[in-house]
Amino acid sequence: MYHQRFQIRGKVFWTLGMKMKLMITVITCLLLRSVILLSSSNVSKHHLLGATIKGSKESGKTVDKLAGGLLTADFNEDSCLSRYHKSSLYRKASPYKPSEYLVFKLRSYEMLHKRCGPGTDAYKKATESLSHDEISVGECKYIVWIAVYGLGNKILTLASMFLYALLTERIILLDQRKDISDLFCEPFPGTSWLLPLDFPLTDQLDSFNREHSRCYGTMLKNHHAINSTTTEKIPSYLCLYLIHDYEDTDKMFFCERDQDLSRQVPWLVFNSNLYFIPSLWLIPSFQTELIKLFPQKDTVFHHLARYLFHPTNQVWGMVTRSYNAYLSRADETLGIQVRVFNRRAGYFQHVMDQILACTQREKLLPQVASQVITTNNTSKTPKLKAVLVTSLYPEYSERLRNMFWEGPSSTGDTVQVYQPSQEMYQQTDKKLHDQKALAEIYLLSLTDKLVTSNSSTFGYVAQGLGGLKPWILYQPKNLTAPEPPCVKAMSMEPCFLRAPLYGCQAKTVRITPFVRYCEDRITGLKLVDYADGF
């Protein structure tokens, strides 16, 4: 009996022992499996991250959300989706890096604007002295920007005035009575660039024309005594009239002697529709500072635009929806900006002929084959080319679209043509119209290659934002397509369309290597990087 009990007990212990071994084995296996899975997960994540970075590099996208230091990190990202990394999903990394000195000056300006901007004691003191036409003795001096003409003009003049503000340590404030706040996010953290509506001179802004008694050119023309050596006769504010029809006395603003006076005036009110930055480079007292800010001369607008102009979330939504729907899957993208300067609005066949001649001669678009191409050659994979056309009229994009729908391309590539809007006529200062225009400018700047119309500020902004040297369509004459139809731009800089070519800067224009006459306007000047052979 005892022996039988011992055997039974032995079997129980053996069974328990086997169960314990089995449990230990199972636990060990589970632990090993967890370690393997964790390791595998880390390896997968590493490979995924590597693939993402590799894909980002291969696609030319940037992970630098501060644009090489141009932008400050002091903003809420959701408040302006276009400002930080959201825009890098759509825009290629810029090959043009801002100088350390430009980054330093931008951070310094942001602090100055925060000290002197709307709502500060300094601004209150400055406006109170302005109301009594007294000279403010505070540290803060100001530039007031008046919103005039179309969107392209506004953007170019804003960039010009902001650079002038950097050079002269002034605060730039924008006339907000139009739709500027519906187009752009605030660029300076902790403050605003919008001129308060209760600004003492608000009711006079629209009257600051060429004949206004406080405009500098008019004062010179009327031989009004202005003395820069004493504060007794220096006005509290001065209007600068730099519109395309300005006179020789207005152009005196760009003379060194006249800058001595304007530096002492607390408030400068600019009425301008021109990109006057090239002439700032010809003022001797500014040139050393400008060279430090922009060692590569033809990147001025590119850097200033990427710093200043970030579309509001509503406009950015238009950009991203269009990009994702029509451009994102393409192997190559081409932007064609069509602006016809003619009293008779509408479609012109000679302009269409010119566009085709330019894009096909420069191999930007293939020709349409006379017959269907059949080939067994698989060495060349057909590409998808997306063409973005911006124009007030639909006929140009429709003609292109029908061409590549009705017949195959000579290269075998697929060409898709898209036009975001067809407004038919320019509607300056209409909110939705301007928002669509801004979205189209940004879409053009996201393309790989660009064709623009001569003397078009719309095209100038797109090329500068995108860092692109476009092909410029020459101005047609006598309703005939010119020969050659277009020219490759010497730089991505906009043209100062009505530059002061005579007077105090005449000699300087001739001897300055980084300033050239514009390809599309004989009366204009533009910056070039003379290291490239210009």
Side-chain angles (χ1 to χ4, degrees), residues 358 362 469-474 484-490 519-520:
C358 175
E362 302 297 334
K469 294 180 182 179
W471 284 263
I472 304 173
L473 297 169
Y474 281 120
C486 60
V487 61
K488 184 70 179 289
M490 67 182 86
E519 307 92 339
D520 51 339

Side-chain angles (χ1 to χ4, degrees), residues 171-464:
I171 303 303
I172 186 170
L173 296 175
L174 280 54
D175 175 15
Q176 62 169 309
R177 294 172 300 160
K178 305 295 173 64
D179 55 8
I180 197 72
S181 60
D182 297 313
L183 298 174
F184 299 109
C185 304
E186 292 275 4
F188 314 130
T191 183
S192 176
W193 67 343
L194 299 178
L195 182 71
L197 293 174
D198 60 357
F199 177 63
L201 302 180
T202 296
D203 294 338
Q204 301 180 48
L205 293 181
D206 294 331
S207 66
F208 284 132
N209 54 39
R210 192 170 58 188
E211 305 301 326
H212 195 282
S213 60
R214 277 296 185 95
C215 279
Y216 185 55
T218 303
M219 297 174 76
L220 291 178
K221 186 167 57 177
N222 295 336
H223 305 289
H224 185 84
I226 306 175
N227 193 337
S228 62
T229 60
T230 174
T231 59
E232 292 181 4
K233 296 182 180 179
I234 293 177
S236 61
Y237 70 92
L238 202 59
C239 162
L240 284 309
Y241 185 86
L242 303 179
I243 301 289
H244 59 272
D245 63 349
Y246 61 164
E247 298 180 350
D248 290 342
T249 50
D250 300 302
K251 297 172 185 177
M252 295 291 286
F253 167 75
F254 297 107
C255 299
E256 185 70 71
R257 183 197 64 186
D258 299 77
Q259 281 297 316
D260 292 338
L261 168 68
S262 62
R263 286 187 181 97
Q264 299 182 51
V265 179
W267 291 86
L268 298 178
V269 181
F270 276 83
N271 191 0
S272 177
N273 66 343
L274 296 169
Y275 180 74
F276 56 78
I277 283 177
S279 282
L280 295 182
W281 282 79
L282 300 177
I283 299 174
S285 60
F286 290 157
Q287 197 170 105
T288 300
E289 182 80 352
L290 284 167
I291 291 172
K292 289 170 61 179
L293 289 168
F294 303 100
Q296 191 170 352
K297 314 294 187 299
D298 61 348
T299 63
V300 179
F301 182 73
H302 179 64
H303 291 319
L304 294 181
R306 291 195 306 148
Y307 172 75
L308 285 175
F309 305 119
H310 304 284
T312 60
N313 287 351
Q314 184 175 356
V315 176
W316 192 242
M318 296 179 184
V319 175
T320 56
R321 286 189 294 273
S322 293
Y323 183 90
N324 291 332
Y326 300 100
L327 302 180
S328 61
R329 292 182 293 276
D331 299 299
E332 295 178 5
T333 56
L334 172 66
I336 301 177
Q337 182 256 335
V338 185
R339 176 66 191 273
V340 180
F341 296 96
N342 192 295
R343 292 181 180 179
R344 181 173 66 85
Y347 173 81
F348 293 92
Q349 183 59 46
H350 68 276
V351 175
M352 187 71 241
D353 295 339
Q354 182 182 3
I355 293 170
L356 290 175
C358 175
T359 54
Q360 293 178 348
R361 179 180 299 191
E362 302 297 334
K363 302 199 180 328
L364 303 174
L365 283 178
Q367 295 183 340
V368 176
S370 57
Q371 58 185 3
V372 176
I373 299 174
T374 57
T375 178
N376 295 324
N377 183 9
T378 57
S379 62
K380 180 180 180 298
T381 303
K383 294 180 179 180
L384 172 60
K385 293 191 175 185
V387 182
L388 175 77
V389 178
T390 65
S391 174
L392 291 173
Y393 310 102
E395 290 88 351
Y396 299 100
S397 62
E398 290 174 356
R399 171 72 186 276
L400 278 175
R401 187 183 301 112
N402 289 337
M403 280 178 51
F404 291 106
W405 181 70
E406 294 169 357
S409 68
S410 58
T411 59
D413 295 331
T414 299
V415 179
Q416 293 184 347
V417 182
Y418 167 63
Q419 181 171 345
S421 70
Q422 304 160 15
E423 297 290 279
M424 301 307 292
Y425 62 95
Q426 186 169 342
Q427 305 168 49
T428 302
D429 295 329
K430 298 292 184 181
K431 174 182 173 180
L432 185 58
H433 176 82
D434 282 350
Q435 287 180 325
K436 289 179 180 179
L438 179 58
E440 290 187 354
I441 287 174
Y442 264 79
L443 285 167
L444 286 172
S445 77
L446 297 176
T447 57
D448 299 320
K449 296 177 181 179
L450 183 62
V451 176
T452 62
S453 297
N454 71 92
S455 307
S456 172
T457 57
F458 194 99
Y460 291 159
V461 176
Q463 71 192 45

Side-chain angles (χ1 to χ4, degrees), residues 46-59 61 63:
H46 175 75
H47 285 308
L48 179 60
L49 179 60
T52 301
I53 294 174
K54 181 181 178 182
S56 176
K57 289 180 179 178
E58 289 178 349
S59 63
K61 305 299 182 186
V63 293

Side-chain angles (χ1 to χ4, degrees), residues 93-142:
S94 173
Y96 309 103
K97 304 304 178 187
S99 67
E100 292 183 2
Y101 187 63
L102 174 59
V103 173
F104 165 75
K105 288 289 285 188
L106 292 174
R107 299 293 87 81
S108 299
Y109 176 84
E110 289 162 2
M111 291 187 289
L112 179 65
H113 199 110
K114 192 177 292 187
R115 290 199 306 272
C116 301
T120 63
D121 290 339
Y123 173 82
K124 181 180 179 181
K125 180 180 179 181
T127 52
E128 286 176 350
S129 63
L130 181 64
S131 301
H132 300 92
D133 202 13
E134 300 173 351
I135 299 297
S136 173
V137 294
E139 66 162 331
C140 305
K141 295 180 180 179
Y142 299 85

